[in-house]
Amino acid sequence: MDATPSPFSPPAPKPRSHIPSAWEVVRTVYRNPLELWGEPSYNERWIHTRFFNERALIVNDPGLVRHVLVDNAKNFKMAKVRQLILRPILADGLLTAEGDIWKRSRKAMAPVFTPRHIDGFADVMLRETEAHAERFVALEGDYVERDIAVDMTELTFAILSATLFSAEIASPGVDFAEQVDKLLSTMGRVDPLDLLKAPSWLPRLTRIRGRKSLKFFRKMVADTIDLRRNKVRAGEAVPDDFLTLLLRQEGADGLSASEIEDNIITFIGAGHETTARALTWAIYCLANSPRDRALVEAETDRVLALELPPKDWLDQMPITRAAFEEAMRLYPPAPSINRAAIEDDNWNGVEIPAETTVLVMPWTLHRHRLLWDQPDAFMPERFWPENRGKIDRFQYLPFGAGPRVCIGSTFALQEAVIALAILLSRFRFECTADTNPWPVQKLTTQPQGGMPMRIAAR
C-alpha cells in the first residue's frame, strides 16, 4: 500500500460548465473574474470567442504566448479594458504607460534593479523581516492568532520603503493595509462600463467609494516627493535611492513631475502588493502540506546556521524558492495579461484579426490540463532545480514576459526567500476554524476575508 499522502489541493473556482449570459458575465467579472473561465480555458490551447460582440482570443499555448508577448510584441498594445481599470489609479506609471512615456520610465528605473543593487538590498530586507517577526511573539500563552494577509502587506511595504525610499515615505497616519484593501476592493474591480468600453470620463459608480483611498495614496506620494525635494533645496545629504534617481531625471529630456508621481504610486500602491499576496498564499499552502513545510524548515535551518550573507540565500535555498514559485503558479499575483492586436496577425494558422482582444491568463495557463501534471495540486517539487527544465518558459508567467516583464522580479524573489526563511525558521503557521480563504481577483489574487492563522514558536 502506498503510504505517500496525496498533495494538497488548495481552494479554487471549478471551471464553469455552461455558456453564461451577458448578465452573468457582467456579474461574475465584477464579483470575481476567476470564476468566469469554463472547461475549454483549462483544456484547449487557444479559444476564439466573443465578449460583448467583440473578438477575443484566449491563449494557453506557450508558443502563441511567446508570439504575443515577445516575438511580435510590437503588434500588441495594452487592451482598452485593462487601461480603463488601471489608469484611474496609476495614470502613467510603469504598468500602464505606453510608447515613449513607458520607454523613458523603464530606462529611468533600470539602474535600481541591476543585480548589484538588488544584492545590496538583502541586508535591509533581512532587518525589516526580523523586526516584523517580533509581532508574532506571543505575549501570553503558546501562540498568537493574526491575519497574515495584513501582516504580509505591512512587511512588504516596510521592505519597499526601506530599500527604494530609504524609509523616507511620508507617514500614512492611518492603517496602511486597510487603505490598500479599500483601494483594490473598489478601484481594482471591473466596472460594467469598462466591459462596454465606455469613455473614461463617464463616472464608474462602483468606484466612488475608492476615491478617498486613491486620494490618500496620491497625498502620501506628493508628501514623500516634497520631503525629498526640500532636503535637496536645503543642501542636505540625500540617499542615492530610487526616489532620488527619479528626481534627478526630472526635466525636458527625462520624466515629468506627474510621471515621477505616477511611478512612485505604482511602486508604493502596487509594487509590494503582488509579493505580499504570494507570500500569504505560500504560507497557507505550506501550512496544509506538512511534508513540504518540513523540507523548507530543514533547508532554512541549515542555511541560517551557516551564517551566510542574505544576498546568497536565494541561490542557497532552492526548496524554499520552489515553494514560493509553486504558490505563484496556483495563485498568480497578476492573474491576467490583456493585449489587443494592432494589425492582422497569424501564428501557425491561428488568425488574429486587428483589434482582437488577446487574453493571456496566468490563472488558466498555470492550471492547464495539457501543460501540468495534477495542475490543481500544491507540488513545489515541480520547481526543484532538477525539474525546472521541464517547464516551458512561456507556460509559467508570474512576472509576465517580453519587453514588459516585471522589472522587480528578482527583487521580489530575493525578498520572498528572505522573508520565508526568517518566518518559517522561527514560527509554525497553522490554520484555524476561520481559515477559509477563497481566491478573488482584485487586480491581484487575494484571499477573500483575509488569512487568519495561528502562529506559534517552533
Side-chain angles (χ1 to χ4, degrees):
M1 181 176 178
D2 186 3
T4 303
S6 299
F8 172 58
S9 292
K14 292 187 179 299
R16 180 178 39 76
S17 58
H18 69 283
I19 299 175
S21 65
W23 167 243
E24 284 181 290
V25 170
V26 171
R27 185 177 58 186
T28 303
V29 169
Y30 173 72
R31 185 183 66 239
N32 184 11
L34 302 181
E35 298 177 9
L36 179 65
W37 311 108
E39 286 286 353
S41 294
Y42 297 89
N43 291 284
E44 298 184 17
R45 292 188 177 274
W46 58 80
I47 304 164
H48 286 285
T49 186
R50 284 184 174 270
F51 282 111
F52 294 91
N53 206 36
E54 293 194 2
R55 292 189 186 95
L57 176 65
I58 300 173
V59 175
N60 286 313
D61 185 284
L64 184 49
V65 170
R66 174 174 178 157
H67 177 78
V68 171
L69 298 183
V70 180
D71 295 340
N72 200 24
K74 66 180 183 300
N75 188 50
F76 294 91
K77 61 185 179 181
M78 293 294 183
K80 186 174 181 179
V81 169
R82 176 190 184 278
Q83 297 295 73
L84 286 170
I85 299 167
L86 290 180
R87 285 192 65 83
I89 306 174
L90 307 178
D92 278 321
L94 192 61
L95 288 178
T96 46
E98 297 190 79
D100 290 340
I101 295 176
W102 176 80
K103 291 177 182 177
R104 288 201 308 272
S105 295
R106 184 86 180 195
K107 182 179 179 181
M109 297 176 198
V112 177
F113 295 98
T114 61
R116 179 178 63 85
H117 270 93
I118 292 172
D119 283 351
F121 294 145
D123 288 330
V124 180
M125 292 173 174
L126 175 58
R127 184 191 71 213
E128 292 297 328
T129 303
E130 289 177 330
H132 271 66
E134 292 300 314
R135 66 181 60 188
F136 296 151
V137 177
L139 299 177
E140 297 180 5
D142 298 324
Y143 63 87
V144 293
E145 291 190 7
R146 301 183 62 91
D147 183 350
I148 66 163
V150 172
D151 284 315
M152 294 306 104
T153 295
E154 293 175 346
L155 169 59
T156 55
F157 176 68
I159 290 174
L160 182 85
S161 174
T163 53
L164 300 188
F165 300 92
S166 303
E168 292 185 357
I169 292 180
S171 174
V174 296
D175 187 328
F176 178 79
E178 181 181 347
Q179 289 297 323
V180 170
D181 182 66
K182 285 181 179 178
L183 182 70
L184 298 183
S185 295
T186 52
M187 304 295 286
R189 289 182 180 270
V190 181
D191 186 274
L193 288 178
D194 297 330
L195 295 177
L196 297 173
K197 298 183 180 178
S200 57
W201 54 262
L202 277 177
R204 271 56 171 171
L205 298 180
T206 61
R207 296 186 189 142
I208 289 176
R209 290 187 300 111
R211 291 176 182 172
K212 186 175 180 180
S213 293
L214 182 58
K215 184 178 179 181
F216 158 82
F217 279 103
R218 284 284 173 184
K219 183 178 188 305
M220 183 171 69
V221 168
D223 290 347
T224 297
I225 294 173
D226 286 343
L227 284 172
R228 185 62 58 85
R229 280 195 174 124
N230 289 338
K231 279 191 172 186
V232 172
R233 291 184 187 121
E236 298 179 31
V238 294
D240 189 21
D241 60 9
F242 178 70
L243 177 54
T244 297
L245 178 71
L246 292 183
L247 291 176
R248 283 175 180 162
Q249 298 184 63
E250 183 177 6
D253 298 326
L255 301 176
S256 69
S258 63
E259 288 165 5
I260 291 173
E261 182 174 310
D262 294 341
N263 279 301
I264 292 174
I265 199 169
T266 295
F267 277 81
I268 292 179
H272 77 290
E273 170 68 12
T274 50
T275 309
R277 297 288 69 81
L279 280 170
T280 300
W281 287 114
I283 291 172
Y284 168 75
C285 288
L286 287 168
N288 286 278
S289 184
R291 169 184 169 274
D292 292 300
R293 179 174 62 190
L295 291 172
V296 169
E297 288 176 348
E299 180 180 74
T300 58
D301 292 347
R302 176 183 60 80
V303 174
L304 266 60
L306 296 175
E307 297 185 349
L308 298 172
K311 69 180 180 63
D312 295 336
W313 293 7
L314 184 60
D315 291 332
Q316 294 296 320
M317 297 188 186
I319 303 298
T320 305
R321 173 176 174 162
F324 181 71
E325 290 183 303
E326 175 70 345
M328 289 197 293
R329 182 188 69 83
L330 287 167
Y331 298 106
S336 64
I337 301 171
N338 301 358
R339 297 287 188 268
I342 298 171
E343 298 179 354
D344 290 350
D345 198 4
N346 183 292
W347 178 81
N348 289 355
V350 179
E351 298 288 345
I352 311 175
E355 299 302 320
T356 298
T357 297
V358 179
L359 303 176
V360 178
M361 305 292 300
W363 179 265
T364 58
L365 185 69
H366 290 184
R367 294 170 177 266
H368 203 272
R369 310 299 183 240
L370 299 181
L371 300 174
W372 304 91
D373 177 43
Q374 300 186 64
D376 296 323
F378 178 69
M379 297 168 59
E381 59 266 32
R382 304 177 204 272
F383 293 95
W384 290 357
E386 61 268 31
N387 296 329
R388 297 186 71 91
K390 301 174 186 177
I391 301 172
D392 190 286
R393 168 65 184 88
F394 297 96
Q395 76 179 71
Y396 179 64
L397 302 173
F399 299 110
R404 299 192 72 111
V405 68
C406 175
I407 196 172
S409 58
T410 305
F411 180 102
L413 285 171
Q414 177 174 277
E415 173 187 19
V417 167
I418 291 172
L420 288 173
I422 293 300
L423 297 177
L424 298 178
S425 67
R426 299 184 185 184
F427 305 102
R428 177 67 57 79
F429 294 79
E430 300 283 359
C431 295
T432 73
D434 296 323
T435 312
N436 298 299
W438 186 250
V440 176
Q441 181 180 346
K442 301 174 186 175
L443 293 188
T444 58
T445 307
Q446 303 182 25
Q448 188 171 31
M451 190 73 78
M453 300 192 81
R454 180 182 293 116
I455 308 166
R458 282 182 57 202

